[in-house]
Each structure stands twice: as structure tokens, then as C-alpha cells.
Amino acid sequence: MHQANVTTITTIYLLGLQIPQSVTFLVFFLLFTVYFMTICGNLLIIVLVSHSKNLHSPMYFFLTHLSLSDILMATDILPSMLHAAMVKPNKISFTDCITQFYFFDVSETSECLLLTVMSYDRYLAICKPLHYHSLINTQLCLKMVIVTWILSFSVVLIHTLTITKLQFCGPDIIDHFFCDLAPLLELSCSDTSLVQLEVTCLSALLVVIPFLIIIISYVYIIAAILQIPSITGRQKAFSTCSSHLAVVSMYYGTLVCVYLVPDRRYSWKISKVLSLLYTVVTPLMNPIIYSLRNKELKKAVHKILNKLHDAPQCLGVGKLGDILYI
């Protein structure tokens, strides 16, 4: 047998959530509902910001791109889960598996970077309100978002291409509901140290450092809020960043838990549940958190509904808020 033909796998079996057959339809319905609500919720954020001139501000601009990232994550993961719930065994080609991992990693990276630039925006709004409009403008916001997406797509491509150069001899089974890095590398019979080194370095650059920037930003934000003399002023200032802080806590909290699982060989069930939180639950919850905590967004929804009721062809909304909008 030639070296190049040594049992190279072309098809991968995803074990998924391994649910009982009796609840298959229920799980399918729940996943479909989650996917539908995720897409509608995030599209609603994008539509509201696009059609409300008074929401054309830096934080809402970043929020629309966060919604795009959530749509990308949900569309990459949930359709395959819906397929897995109804079709047994759940097969996926090796190429599709690598593609799914690539877009999952892109959305994960972009989410980290977008949350970072959003924290910078909150820092400027609360700590430097008098200079806010001179420090952050439309051009700067556009540049930050472009850099975020370029970094996400290009940097993730580096270790994805390295993975494709490995030899995969099997087994051809992944005990997960999507093609994540760790279970994917377990299928390789090549030396994966280069990939792991690349991932470690790039994760430090695009995940750990942004997280530290967010923490430092909130240290300054909290210090500035505590210096406000009135309780009402402190509450109003804190409300401008509470939604972002909730999303950061939920997203990074689950990420940290996933990577701190001590021995993955004996804790795949725990790892699946935690992965489910940041791949499925977080994209669903982000628009809900921002909508519930944001009076301007709720007003925009009401005004659009009223306009649609009174004149379906009109989608305009009235004046909303100031720079302390979230």
C-alpha cells in the first residue's frame, strides 16, 4: 500500500447529543424553534438599526455586526444539528467538517473582537463623555469592523489550512454535535503539535488579549461610575453598559469553562453542554438581552409596529435617546 493511501478518512460520523429515539421529534422542534428565534431576533436588531436614524451610532453599529456574527454561528451549527436529530447515523464529509470548523472559528473570533471594540466604545462614552464624538466616529467604527472581519477570516484560515495538511487515518467518529478542534485532531495520525502551537498563539492574540482589554475597560468604567455622586446618575451610567457586560459574562464564562475541563476523555458530556451554551444559546440570548435592557430598541420596535399597523409602506421611526443608549 502506498503511503499516500493509508486509510485516509473521507467521511465522519458525528454522534451528536445522543438523545433517546422517543424524544427525537421534540428535540428537533426545540432546535428548529431556537434557530428560527435566533435568526429573527438578530435580523430584527439589524433592521431596527438600519431603519432608525437615531440608532445610527457606534454601539448600535457594532451591535449589528455582533448580530451578523451570531447568525453565522447559528447557521453553521444548528442546521447540521437538525439533520442529526432526524437522520441516523449522522454522516458528514471530511471537507464539510473542515468547512464547518472554519466558519465556527470565524464567528467565535469575530465575536471576541466585536465585544472588545464595544467595550472600548462604552469606556469612551462613560469615562470620556466630553470627548466621545471626537474620539470615535463613523470612519473609525468602519475601520475597526473591517479589521475585525479581516482578522477573523484570515487568521482562522492559517490553522485551518494547517489542519488540512495533516493525515487523518481514523477513527472516523467524533463524539460531538459539530466539528470542533479537539475532537477533529483526535482523528489525525499525524503530529498535531504545530496546529496546537498555532491555535495557542492565535488564541492568545485574538481571545485572551481582547478579554484582558475588556476587563481593563470595565475596571475604568466601574471606577468612573463609582465617582458619580448621585445614585440615579450611577444607575443611569451603569445601565448604558449592563447589556454588554451580561453578554460578555455569558460568552466568556462558557468559553473559560470549556477550556478548563480537566480531562476531556472523561467529560465529553459536560463539554457538549458547555459548547451548546456558546454555540446555540448565546446567539439566541444576545438580541434578547439587548432588547430587554434597552429602552430605545423597545421604543423602536413599538414605533415600527405602529407604523406597519397604520401604514404598511412606512417603516420610519422617531427620535431616540442620546449617546448613553445601552
Side-chain angles (χ1 to χ4, degrees):
M1 183 178 294
H2 296 292
Q3 184 73 19
N5 296 326
V6 176
T7 50
T8 301
I9 60 174
T10 57
T11 302
I12 294 174
Y13 294 86
L14 292 172
L15 296 183
L17 299 176
Q18 295 176 290
I19 56 175
Q21 189 67 30
S22 58
V23 296
T24 296
F25 181 77
L26 176 61
V27 171
F28 178 89
F29 177 76
L30 288 175
L31 290 174
F32 179 81
T33 303
V34 168
Y35 184 49
F36 178 79
M37 291 179 63
T38 300
I39 299 300
C40 289
N42 284 287
L43 283 178
L44 178 62
I45 295 290
I46 296 171
V47 170
L48 287 176
V49 175
S50 300
H51 285 82
S52 177
K53 293 181 180 180
N54 293 89
L55 293 180
H56 292 175
S57 50
M59 191 64 175
Y60 289 114
F61 177 69
F62 296 139
L63 183 57
T64 59
H65 285 270
L66 186 68
S67 293
L68 287 173
S69 178
D70 287 335
I71 290 173
L72 176 62
M73 173 74 81
T75 304
D76 185 51
I77 301 296
L78 278 165
S80 63
M81 292 183 68
L82 289 170
H83 180 266
M86 300 303 294
V87 179
K88 305 292 182 182
N90 181 30
K91 296 190 298 183
I92 183 173
S93 70
F94 180 77
T95 301
D96 290 343
C97 188
I98 293 293
T99 302
Q100 184 186 51
F101 165 73
Y102 173 72
F103 285 105
F104 156 73
D105 214 359
V106 166
S107 60
E108 188 179 38
T109 303
S110 63
E111 187 116 356
C112 292
L113 296 176
L114 286 169
L115 289 175
T116 305
V117 297
M118 291 169 81
S119 70
Y120 174 68
D121 175 82
R122 293 296 80 208
Y123 162 77
L124 293 179
I126 294 175
C127 298
K128 299 182 182 293
L130 298 179
H131 304 285
Y132 178 81
H133 292 292
S134 62
L135 291 173
I136 190 165
N137 52 50
T138 303
Q139 288 185 344
L140 179 60
C141 293
L142 187 59
K143 288 178 182 178
M144 287 194 288
V145 164
I146 291 174
V147 169
T148 291
W149 286 111
I150 290 177
L151 279 176
S152 300
F153 279 100
S154 58
V155 172
V156 171
L157 185 62
I158 295 173
H159 59 262
T160 303
L161 290 175
T162 305
I163 291 174
T164 60
K165 295 178 182 178
L166 299 175
Q167 189 169 18
F168 291 86
C169 311
D172 57 357
I173 297 174
I174 288 181
D175 188 9
H176 213 327
F177 58 86
F178 73 102
C179 294
D180 202 358
L181 177 66
L184 189 59
L185 292 183
E186 288 184 0
L187 308 185
S188 176
C189 50
S190 304
D191 182 10
T192 61
S193 58
L194 178 59
V195 176
Q196 292 172 344
L197 178 62
E198 287 180 352
V199 171
T200 300
C201 294
L202 295 175
S203 296
L205 178 65
L206 299 177
V207 179
V208 178
I209 292 178
F211 184 50
L212 293 176
I213 293 173
I214 292 173
I215 292 176
I216 294 171
S217 297
Y218 272 98
V219 168
Y220 282 102
I221 288 171
I222 293 172
I225 291 175
L226 292 176
Q227 292 177 2
I228 299 174
S230 68
I231 296 177
T232 303
R234 288 198 294 268
Q235 290 176 342
K236 183 179 179 181
F238 181 74
S239 68
T240 67
C241 59
S242 58
S243 297
H244 177 258
L245 185 58
V247 170
V248 168
S249 301
M250 180 174 60
Y251 184 72
Y252 273 100
T254 53
L255 277 184
V256 169
C257 290
V258 167
Y259 291 114
L260 287 182
V261 172
D263 192 339
R264 302 182 73 91
R265 292 177 299 174
Y266 302 104
S267 53
W268 274 117
K269 289 183 179 179
I270 298 175
S271 181
K272 284 181 186 180
V273 172
L274 294 174
S275 297
L276 201 64
L277 290 177
Y278 73 86
T279 57
V280 176
V281 177
T282 298
L284 170 67
M285 292 302 298
N286 282 355
I288 295 176
I289 290 172
Y290 275 100
S291 299
L292 290 177
R293 298 292 301 173
N294 190 294
K295 294 180 180 179
E296 283 74 24
L297 281 175
K298 287 190 284 187
K299 288 179 182 177
V301 172
H302 292 153
K303 288 189 177 183
I304 284 183
L305 290 177
N306 290 335
K307 291 288 184 178
L308 289 173
H309 180 266
D310 297 335
Q313 72 277 11
C314 180
L315 293 176
V317 295
K319 292 185 177 180
L320 303 170
D322 50 28
I323 67 167
L324 296 180
Y325 33 76
I326 292 182

PDB file of all heavy atoms in Angstrom, residues 260-285:
ATOM      1  N   LEU A 260     -11.349  24.827  30.490  1.00  0.00           N
ATOM      2  CA  LEU A 260     -10.814  24.430  31.787  1.00  0.00           C
ATOM      3  C   LEU A 260     -11.270  23.043  32.211  1.00  0.00           C
ATOM      4  O   LEU A 260     -10.970  22.604  33.312  1.00  0.00           O
ATOM      5  CB  LEU A 260     -11.231  25.443  32.865  1.00  0.00           C
ATOM      6  CG  LEU A 260     -10.522  26.800  32.814  1.00  0.00           C
ATOM      7  CD1 LEU A 260     -11.002  27.679  33.957  1.00  0.00           C
ATOM      8  CD2 LEU A 260      -9.004  26.632  32.895  1.00  0.00           C
ATOM      9  N   VAL A 261     -12.037  22.348  31.330  1.00  0.00           N
ATOM     10  CA  VAL A 261     -12.429  20.974  31.636  1.00  0.00           C
ATOM     11  C   VAL A 261     -11.157  20.141  31.786  1.00  0.00           C
ATOM     12  O   VAL A 261     -10.327  20.084  30.878  1.00  0.00           O
ATOM     13  CB  VAL A 261     -13.318  20.391  30.511  1.00  0.00           C
ATOM     14  CG1 VAL A 261     -13.558  18.909  30.739  1.00  0.00           C
ATOM     15  CG2 VAL A 261     -14.648  21.137  30.477  1.00  0.00           C
ATOM     16  N   PRO A 262     -10.959  19.459  32.928  1.00  0.00           N
ATOM     17  CA  PRO A 262      -9.677  18.839  33.228  1.00  0.00           C
ATOM     18  C   PRO A 262      -9.259  17.717  32.297  1.00  0.00           C
ATOM     19  O   PRO A 262      -8.133  17.688  31.829  1.00  0.00           O
ATOM     20  CB  PRO A 262      -9.867  18.319  34.661  1.00  0.00           C
ATOM     21  CG  PRO A 262     -11.350  18.178  34.816  1.00  0.00           C
ATOM     22  CD  PRO A 262     -11.937  19.288  34.001  1.00  0.00           C
ATOM     23  N   ASP A 263     -10.134  16.788  32.018  1.00  0.00           N
ATOM     24  CA  ASP A 263      -9.769  15.652  31.178  1.00  0.00           C
ATOM     25  C   ASP A 263     -10.905  15.378  30.221  1.00  0.00           C
ATOM     26  O   ASP A 263     -11.916  14.789  30.582  1.00  0.00           O
ATOM     27  CB  ASP A 263      -9.504  14.403  32.031  1.00  0.00           C
ATOM     28  CG  ASP A 263      -8.844  13.281  31.219  1.00  0.00           C
ATOM     29  OD1 ASP A 263      -8.970  13.316  29.982  1.00  0.00           O
ATOM     30  OD2 ASP A 263      -8.211  12.408  31.825  1.00  0.00           O
ATOM     31  N   ARG A 264     -10.744  15.807  28.984  1.00  0.00           N
ATOM     32  CA  ARG A 264     -11.826  15.750  28.004  1.00  0.00           C
ATOM     33  C   ARG A 264     -12.255  14.324  27.702  1.00  0.00           C
ATOM     34  O   ARG A 264     -13.383  14.074  27.322  1.00  0.00           O
ATOM     35  CB  ARG A 264     -11.412  16.463  26.708  1.00  0.00           C
ATOM     36  CG  ARG A 264     -11.035  17.917  26.923  1.00  0.00           C
ATOM     37  CD  ARG A 264     -10.690  18.594  25.615  1.00  0.00           C
ATOM     38  NE  ARG A 264     -11.862  18.838  24.815  1.00  0.00           N
ATOM     39  CZ  ARG A 264     -12.581  19.942  24.862  1.00  0.00           C
ATOM     40  NH1 ARG A 264     -12.287  20.897  25.695  1.00  0.00           N
ATOM     41  NH2 ARG A 264     -13.637  20.086  24.087  1.00  0.00           N
ATOM     42  N   ARG A 265     -11.385  13.358  27.876  1.00  0.00           N
ATOM     43  CA  ARG A 265     -11.755  11.971  27.573  1.00  0.00           C
ATOM     44  C   ARG A 265     -12.877  11.489  28.486  1.00  0.00           C
ATOM     45  O   ARG A 265     -13.672  10.643  28.110  1.00  0.00           O
ATOM     46  CB  ARG A 265     -10.540  11.054  27.731  1.00  0.00           C
ATOM     47  CG  ARG A 265      -9.450  11.282  26.693  1.00  0.00           C
ATOM     48  CD  ARG A 265      -8.266  10.396  26.971  1.00  0.00           C
ATOM     49  NE  ARG A 265      -7.698  10.685  28.283  1.00  0.00           N
ATOM     50  CZ  ARG A 265      -6.716   9.980  28.829  1.00  0.00           C
ATOM     51  NH1 ARG A 265      -6.208   8.940  28.207  1.00  0.00           N
ATOM     52  NH2 ARG A 265      -6.255  10.324  30.017  1.00  0.00           N
ATOM     53  N   TYR A 266     -12.953  12.017  29.700  1.00  0.00           N
ATOM     54  CA  TYR A 266     -13.956  11.571  30.650  1.00  0.00           C
ATOM     55  C   TYR A 266     -15.035  12.622  30.905  1.00  0.00           C
ATOM     56  O   TYR A 266     -15.814  12.489  31.836  1.00  0.00           O
ATOM     57  CB  TYR A 266     -13.277  11.189  31.982  1.00  0.00           C
ATOM     58  CG  TYR A 266     -12.236  10.111  31.814  1.00  0.00           C
ATOM     59  CD1 TYR A 266     -10.880  10.419  31.845  1.00  0.00           C
ATOM     60  CD2 TYR A 266     -12.609   8.789  31.595  1.00  0.00           C
ATOM     61  CE1 TYR A 266      -9.919   9.430  31.678  1.00  0.00           C
ATOM     62  CE2 TYR A 266     -11.666   7.794  31.429  1.00  0.00           C
ATOM     63  CZ  TYR A 266     -10.315   8.115  31.468  1.00  0.00           C
ATOM     64  OH  TYR A 266      -9.362   7.141  31.294  1.00  0.00           O
ATOM     65  N   SER A 267     -15.056  13.656  30.125  1.00  0.00           N
ATOM     66  CA  SER A 267     -16.028  14.724  30.381  1.00  0.00           C
ATOM     67  C   SER A 267     -16.620  15.284  29.097  1.00  0.00           C
ATOM     68  O   SER A 267     -16.909  16.469  29.017  1.00  0.00           O
ATOM     69  CB  SER A 267     -15.376  15.837  31.191  1.00  0.00           C
ATOM     70  OG  SER A 267     -14.189  16.271  30.567  1.00  0.00           O
ATOM     71  N   TRP A 268     -16.803  14.450  28.077  1.00  0.00           N
ATOM     72  CA  TRP A 268     -17.357  14.937  26.823  1.00  0.00           C
ATOM     73  C   TRP A 268     -18.800  15.403  26.988  1.00  0.00           C
ATOM     74  O   TRP A 268     -19.255  16.325  26.310  1.00  0.00           O
ATOM     75  CB  TRP A 268     -17.289  13.856  25.744  1.00  0.00           C
ATOM     76  CG  TRP A 268     -15.979  13.832  25.024  1.00  0.00           C
ATOM     77  CD1 TRP A 268     -15.072  12.825  24.997  1.00  0.00           C
ATOM     78  CD2 TRP A 268     -15.400  14.894  24.239  1.00  0.00           C
ATOM     79  NE1 TRP A 268     -13.976  13.188  24.244  1.00  0.00           N
ATOM     80  CE2 TRP A 268     -14.147  14.439  23.763  1.00  0.00           C
ATOM     81  CE3 TRP A 268     -15.814  16.179  23.901  1.00  0.00           C
ATOM     82  CZ2 TRP A 268     -13.317  15.221  22.975  1.00  0.00           C
ATOM     83  CZ3 TRP A 268     -14.990  16.959  23.106  1.00  0.00           C
ATOM     84  CH2 TRP A 268     -13.753  16.471  22.660  1.00  0.00           C
ATOM     85  N   LYS A 269     -19.553  14.758  27.911  1.00  0.00           N
ATOM     86  CA  LYS A 269     -20.937  15.180  28.125  1.00  0.00           C
ATOM     87  C   LYS A 269     -20.978  16.604  28.665  1.00  0.00           C
ATOM     88  O   LYS A 269     -21.792  17.422  28.243  1.00  0.00           O
ATOM     89  CB  LYS A 269     -21.636  14.217  29.081  1.00  0.00           C
ATOM     90  CG  LYS A 269     -21.910  12.841  28.478  1.00  0.00           C
ATOM     91  CD  LYS A 269     -22.680  11.952  29.437  1.00  0.00           C
ATOM     92  CE  LYS A 269     -22.963  10.597  28.799  1.00  0.00           C
ATOM     93  NZ  LYS A 269     -23.704   9.699  29.719  1.00  0.00           N
ATOM     94  N   ILE A 270     -20.085  16.893  29.624  1.00  0.00           N
ATOM     95  CA  ILE A 270     -20.007  18.245  30.180  1.00  0.00           C
ATOM     96  C   ILE A 270     -19.571  19.222  29.090  1.00  0.00           C
ATOM     97  O   ILE A 270     -20.113  20.322  28.957  1.00  0.00           O
ATOM     98  CB  ILE A 270     -19.022  18.292  31.362  1.00  0.00           C
ATOM     99  CG1 ILE A 270     -19.515  17.386  32.486  1.00  0.00           C
ATOM    100  CG2 ILE A 270     -18.838  19.721  31.863  1.00  0.00           C
ATOM    101  CD1 ILE A 270     -18.557  17.274  33.648  1.00  0.00           C
ATOM    102  N   SER A 271     -18.590  18.821  28.297  1.00  0.00           N
ATOM    103  CA  SER A 271     -18.079  19.669  27.229  1.00  0.00           C
ATOM    104  C   SER A 271     -19.165  19.974  26.197  1.00  0.00           C
ATOM    105  O   SER A 271     -19.269  21.096  25.697  1.00  0.00           O
ATOM    106  CB  SER A 271     -16.892  18.995  26.549  1.00  0.00           C
ATOM    107  OG  SER A 271     -16.366  19.810  25.531  1.00  0.00           O
ATOM    108  N   LYS A 272     -20.008  18.983  25.891  1.00  0.00           N
ATOM    109  CA  LYS A 272     -21.095  19.186  24.933  1.00  0.00           C
ATOM    110  C   LYS A 272     -22.090  20.214  25.450  1.00  0.00           C
ATOM    111  O   LYS A 272     -22.532  21.101  24.710  1.00  0.00           O
ATOM    112  CB  LYS A 272     -21.820  17.861  24.665  1.00  0.00           C
ATOM    113  CG  LYS A 272     -21.088  16.895  23.754  1.00  0.00           C
ATOM    114  CD  LYS A 272     -21.939  15.654  23.558  1.00  0.00           C
ATOM    115  CE  LYS A 272     -21.205  14.589  22.769  1.00  0.00           C
ATOM    116  NZ  LYS A 272     -22.031  13.377  22.588  1.00  0.00           N
ATOM    117  N   VAL A 273     -22.439  20.089  26.723  1.00  0.00           N
ATOM    118  CA  VAL A 273     -23.408  21.021  27.313  1.00  0.00           C
ATOM    119  C   VAL A 273     -22.859  22.447  27.297  1.00  0.00           C
ATOM    120  O   VAL A 273     -23.550  23.396  26.912  1.00  0.00           O
ATOM    121  CB  VAL A 273     -23.763  20.605  28.752  1.00  0.00           C
ATOM    122  CG1 VAL A 273     -24.617  21.677  29.426  1.00  0.00           C
ATOM    123  CG2 VAL A 273     -24.494  19.270  28.751  1.00  0.00           C
ATOM    124  N   LEU A 274     -21.596  22.601  27.688  1.00  0.00           N
ATOM    125  CA  LEU A 274     -20.978  23.923  27.697  1.00  0.00           C
ATOM    126  C   LEU A 274     -20.852  24.478  26.280  1.00  0.00           C
ATOM    127  O   LEU A 274     -21.079  25.672  26.051  1.00  0.00           O
ATOM    128  CB  LEU A 274     -19.602  23.853  28.371  1.00  0.00           C
ATOM    129  CG  LEU A 274     -19.611  23.516  29.862  1.00  0.00           C
ATOM    130  CD1 LEU A 274     -18.189  23.319  30.378  1.00  0.00           C
ATOM    131  CD2 LEU A 274     -20.308  24.608  30.657  1.00  0.00           C
ATOM    132  N   SER A 275     -20.488  23.612  25.333  1.00  0.00           N
ATOM    133  CA  SER A 275     -20.393  24.042  23.938  1.00  0.00           C
ATOM    134  C   SER A 275     -21.756  24.470  23.413  1.00  0.00           C
ATOM    135  O   SER A 275     -21.877  25.402  22.617  1.00  0.00           O
ATOM    136  CB  SER A 275     -19.832  22.921  23.072  1.00  0.00           C
ATOM    137  OG  SER A 275     -18.524  22.579  23.455  1.00  0.00           O
ATOM    138  N   LEU A 276     -22.796  23.776  23.873  1.00  0.00           N
ATOM    139  CA  LEU A 276     -24.157  24.108  23.465  1.00  0.00           C
ATOM    140  C   LEU A 276     -24.526  25.525  23.910  1.00  0.00           C
ATOM    141  O   LEU A 276     -25.226  26.250  23.207  1.00  0.00           O
ATOM    142  CB  LEU A 276     -25.136  23.100  24.079  1.00  0.00           C
ATOM    143  CG  LEU A 276     -26.516  22.949  23.426  1.00  0.00           C
ATOM    144  CD1 LEU A 276     -26.378  22.419  22.007  1.00  0.00           C
ATOM    145  CD2 LEU A 276     -27.386  22.028  24.260  1.00  0.00           C
ATOM    146  N   LEU A 277     -23.983  25.934  25.052  1.00  0.00           N
ATOM    147  CA  LEU A 277     -24.288  27.259  25.585  1.00  0.00           C
ATOM    148  C   LEU A 277     -23.766  28.372  24.685  1.00  0.00           C
ATOM    149  O   LEU A 277     -24.490  29.319  24.371  1.00  0.00           O
ATOM    150  CB  LEU A 277     -23.711  27.410  27.003  1.00  0.00           C
ATOM    151  CG  LEU A 277     -24.385  26.590  28.096  1.00  0.00           C
ATOM    152  CD1 LEU A 277     -23.663  26.782  29.423  1.00  0.00           C
ATOM    153  CD2 LEU A 277     -25.854  26.962  28.235  1.00  0.00           C
ATOM    154  N   TYR A 278     -22.486  28.267  24.251  1.00  0.00           N
ATOM    155  CA  TYR A 278     -21.947  29.395  23.478  1.00  0.00           C
ATOM    156  C   TYR A 278     -22.126  29.248  21.969  1.00  0.00           C
ATOM    157  O   TYR A 278     -21.921  30.213  21.235  1.00  0.00           O
ATOM    158  CB  TYR A 278     -20.468  29.648  23.833  1.00  0.00           C
ATOM    159  CG  TYR A 278     -19.463  28.652  23.326  1.00  0.00           C
ATOM    160  CD1 TYR A 278     -18.919  28.762  22.059  1.00  0.00           C
ATOM    161  CD2 TYR A 278     -19.017  27.619  24.142  1.00  0.00           C
ATOM    162  CE1 TYR A 278     -17.977  27.860  21.599  1.00  0.00           C
ATOM    163  CE2 TYR A 278     -18.070  26.716  23.692  1.00  0.00           C
ATOM    164  CZ  TYR A 278     -17.558  26.840  22.428  1.00  0.00           C
ATOM    165  OH  TYR A 278     -16.620  25.930  21.975  1.00  0.00           O
ATOM    166  N   THR A 279     -22.537  28.071  21.491  1.00  0.00           N
ATOM    167  CA  THR A 279     -22.789  27.930  20.053  1.00  0.00           C
ATOM    168  C   THR A 279     -24.266  28.076  19.708  1.00  0.00           C
ATOM    169  O   THR A 279     -24.605  28.472  18.587  1.00  0.00           O
ATOM    170  CB  THR A 279     -22.312  26.561  19.538  1.00  0.00           C
ATOM    171  OG1 THR A 279     -22.969  25.512  20.272  1.00  0.00           O
ATOM    172  CG2 THR A 279     -20.809  26.413  19.682  1.00  0.00           C
ATOM    173  N   VAL A 280     -25.149  27.762  20.649  1.00  0.00           N
ATOM    174  CA  VAL A 280     -26.593  27.780  20.382  1.00  0.00           C
ATOM    175  C   VAL A 280     -27.324  28.803  21.254  1.00  0.00           C
ATOM    176  O   VAL A 280     -28.102  29.612  20.751  1.00  0.00           O
ATOM    177  CB  VAL A 280     -27.213  26.377  20.593  1.00  0.00           C
ATOM    178  CG1 VAL A 280     -28.727  26.423  20.410  1.00  0.00           C
ATOM    179  CG2 VAL A 280     -26.589  25.370  19.631  1.00  0.00           C
ATOM    180  N   VAL A 281     -27.045  28.781  22.555  1.00  0.00           N
ATOM    181  CA  VAL A 281     -27.782  29.641  23.479  1.00  0.00           C
ATOM    182  C   VAL A 281     -27.353  31.105  23.348  1.00  0.00           C
ATOM    183  O   VAL A 281     -28.199  32.001  23.319  1.00  0.00           O
ATOM    184  CB  VAL A 281     -27.600  29.161  24.933  1.00  0.00           C
ATOM    185  CG1 VAL A 281     -28.314  30.101  25.901  1.00  0.00           C
ATOM    186  CG2 VAL A 281     -28.139  27.732  25.090  1.00  0.00           C
ATOM    187  N   THR A 282     -26.043  31.355  23.272  1.00  0.00           N
ATOM    188  CA  THR A 282     -25.557  32.737  23.213  1.00  0.00           C
ATOM    189  C   THR A 282     -26.093  33.499  22.000  1.00  0.00           C
ATOM    190  O   THR A 282     -26.571  34.640  22.155  1.00  0.00           O
ATOM    191  CB  THR A 282     -24.018  32.778  23.220  1.00  0.00           C
ATOM    192  OG1 THR A 282     -23.551  32.217  24.452  1.00  0.00           O
ATOM    193  CG2 THR A 282     -23.501  34.196  23.109  1.00  0.00           C
ATOM    194  N   PRO A 283     -26.045  32.949  20.770  1.00  0.00           N
ATOM    195  CA  PRO A 283     -26.629  33.688  19.629  1.00  0.00           C
ATOM    196  C   PRO A 283     -28.111  33.969  19.802  1.00  0.00           C
ATOM    197  O   PRO A 283     -28.623  34.962  19.266  1.00  0.00           O
ATOM    198  CB  PRO A 283     -26.386  32.744  18.441  1.00  0.00           C
ATOM    199  CG  PRO A 283     -25.199  31.939  18.837  1.00  0.00           C
ATOM    200  CD  PRO A 283     -25.358  31.721  20.321  1.00  0.00           C
ATOM    201  N   LEU A 284     -28.818  33.098  20.541  1.00  0.00           N
ATOM    202  CA  LEU A 284     -30.235  33.320  20.802  1.00  0.00           C
ATOM    203  C   LEU A 284     -30.438  34.409  21.841  1.00  0.00           C
ATOM    204  O   LEU A 284     -31.333  35.263  21.711  1.00  0.00           O
ATOM    205  CB  LEU A 284     -30.889  32.018  21.286  1.00  0.00           C
ATOM    206  CG  LEU A 284     -32.316  32.118  21.827  1.00  0.00           C
ATOM    207  CD1 LEU A 284     -33.288  32.498  20.713  1.00  0.00           C
ATOM    208  CD2 LEU A 284     -32.742  30.809  22.484  1.00  0.00           C
ATOM    209  N   MET A 285     -29.611  34.403  22.883  1.00  0.00           N
ATOM    210  CA  MET A 285     -29.808  35.302  24.015  1.00  0.00           C
ATOM    211  C   MET A 285     -29.313  36.721  23.756  1.00  0.00           C
ATOM    212  O   MET A 285     -29.845  37.673  24.355  1.00  0.00           O
ATOM    213  CB  MET A 285     -29.103  34.736  25.251  1.00  0.00           C
ATOM    214  CG  MET A 285     -29.728  33.454  25.792  1.00  0.00           C
ATOM    215  SD  MET A 285     -31.477  33.672  26.225  1.00  0.00           S
ATOM    216  CE  MET A 285     -31.352  34.921  27.502  1.00  0.00           C
TER     217      MET A 285
END
